Amino acid sequence: MSNLERDPREIRCGADAGGGREVLVGREVPLGGPRAMTVSRTLPGRDRRMIGAWCFVDAYGPQRAVMRVPPHPHTGLQTVSWLVTGEVLHRDSLGTLQRVRPGQLNLMTAGRGISHSEESPETVLHGVQLWVALPAEQRHTAPAFEHHPSLPVLSGPGFEASVVMGSLGGLTSPATTHTPLVGAEVMVDGTCELPLNPAFEHGLLLLEGAVAEVEAGPLVYLPPGSGRLRLSGRGRVLLIGGEPFGEEIVMWWNFVGRSHEEIAAYRKDWMEGEGFGAVEGFDGAPLPAPVLPGTRLKPRGRVR
């Protein structure tokens, strides 16, 4: 899924303010016509822009909707598609045609540039779309796509966790990562303790049910330092985390770059049909890029 805002704001951040647990309230973003979805965007937020290398979190549903996201570009990031209910058809400029269903992972590495589309018929959709920023040494890598129909599951008293990205409790996802991180869907049934990497900062998002430590809606931020996470209740929780991302980036529309000039060049290439390939089979025109803002886009850190 892309950022479909027609007037996307520059994602600004400053020095790390420190502190402990934070509640990151999302904002509602409509993604199109009368039957299309509305998502809750909790990253990037007003103050905290990243958790590890995770730089974008859209949660949607459950709602009856049509997903129809025309071909659009990405650079400098990975897209992570995870569903609770429904299915989505992915097409990209590498020639990929792949459905993703609940419990399966679609991972697209944009690298130096890729374009893709996503669509579904009218159905009940419930899931999350996430982006991972690529570090400097990998951000110009060749674009790639991976589909993982099954993932390792970490089990313990009161929980089962599908390891979507990175590593958790000694289990590692087969998905390609470029920074130390974790992404997992945790099914909580009672009281449990999850093992955490104390070097990571983490985020928790309630997907369904009731878990005492995670209220419905916001993304809960946990700073580095803890090796265990206690959860209680019955529900489904998204866990993301990673080593604090030390680089400054520019995020605008569907691009992650390092300077205003770089973002402007990506936009120009997309509008002129260069550098991103073509998505075959989508019934419709590519998505035009918004107009750049009147002020310069500046590279910034991960928090305001």
Side-chain angles (χ1 to χ4, degrees):
M1 191 184 303
S2 76
N3 180 1
L4 297 185
E5 293 179 280
R6 299 310 304 156
D7 185 22
R9 296 172 288 178
E10 177 187 2
I11 308 308
R12 301 187 176 187
C13 349
D16 192 346
R21 182 181 186 273
E22 301 171 17
V23 176
L24 310 179
V25 178
R27 60 190 178 94
E28 298 300 301
V29 179
L31 294 186
R35 292 184 300 161
M37 297 187 305
T38 297
V39 303
S40 175
R41 184 164 298 160
T42 49
L43 277 184
R46 185 186 66 180
D47 297 316
R48 183 165 299 280
R49 309 305 187 183
M50 302 179 74
I51 296 177
W54 300 95
C55 61
F56 184 93
V57 177
D58 271 1
Y60 54 90
Q63 59 182 300
R64 191 164 190 86
V66 173
M67 180 182 288
R68 182 173 169 81
V69 183
H72 58 277
H74 286 291
T75 61
L77 57 85
Q78 293 176 293
T79 65
V80 177
S81 299
W82 186 257
L83 287 173
V84 177
T85 305
E87 66 176 51
V88 174
L89 179 64
H90 165 100
R91 290 183 170 92
D92 64 38
S93 53
L94 301 175
T96 307
L97 179 66
Q98 179 64 60
R99 294 187 186 276
V100 63
R101 297 180 172 90
Q104 302 178 348
L105 169 64
N106 270 9
L107 174 67
M108 187 180 74
T109 300
R112 61 177 176 260
I114 196 171
S115 58
H116 75 134
S117 67
E118 292 164 294
E119 57 189 317
S120 74
E122 184 170 353
T123 187
V124 176
L125 288 170
H126 184 194
V128 286
Q129 179 69 39
L130 310 103
W131 296 354
V132 179
L134 293 174
E137 59 269 24
Q138 274 87 39
R139 69 191 189 93
H140 293 304
T141 191
F145 178 85
E146 302 171 29
H147 175 72
H148 297 284
S150 60
L151 296 160
V153 176
L154 178 68
S155 298
F159 79 92
E160 284 192 350
S162 297
V163 186
V164 180
M165 295 280 287
S167 298
L168 180 69
L171 295 183
T172 300
S173 165
T176 301
T177 58
H178 297 279
T179 54
L181 54 76
V182 63
E185 181 190 75
V186 184
M187 301 297 295
V188 180
D189 186 10
T191 299
C192 67
E193 284 196 348
L194 289 178
L196 298 181
N197 185 331
F200 286 7
E201 54 186 358
H202 291 90
L204 298 170
L205 184 70
L206 184 66
L207 297 178
E208 64 179 8
V211 175
E213 296 76 10
V214 193
E215 63 181 285
L219 181 65
V220 177
Y221 170 80
L222 305 173
S226 177
R228 310 293 294 180
L229 172 64
R230 183 182 176 88
L231 298 173
S232 58
R234 284 176 175 78
R236 187 189 308 255
V237 174
L238 175 71
L239 170 71
I240 59 173
E243 289 185 355
F245 197 77
E247 301 177 29
E248 293 187 332
I249 64 174
V250 179
M251 281 182 63
W252 181 83
W253 196 43
N254 296 307
F255 304 130
V256 171
R258 296 300 188 274
S259 69
H260 178 94
E261 289 77 15
E262 194 170 73
I263 297 294
Y266 291 149
R267 181 190 183 280
K268 179 175 181 290
D269 286 347
W270 173 247
M271 294 301 288
E272 294 178 354
E274 301 290 338
F276 294 95
V279 178
E280 302 294 340
F282 182 86
D283 182 19
L287 194 67
V291 176
L292 281 165
T295 57
R296 287 181 59 80
L297 305 171
K298 297 180 180 180
R300 304 177 188 270
R302 60 193 178 86
V303 294
R304 187 181 295 277

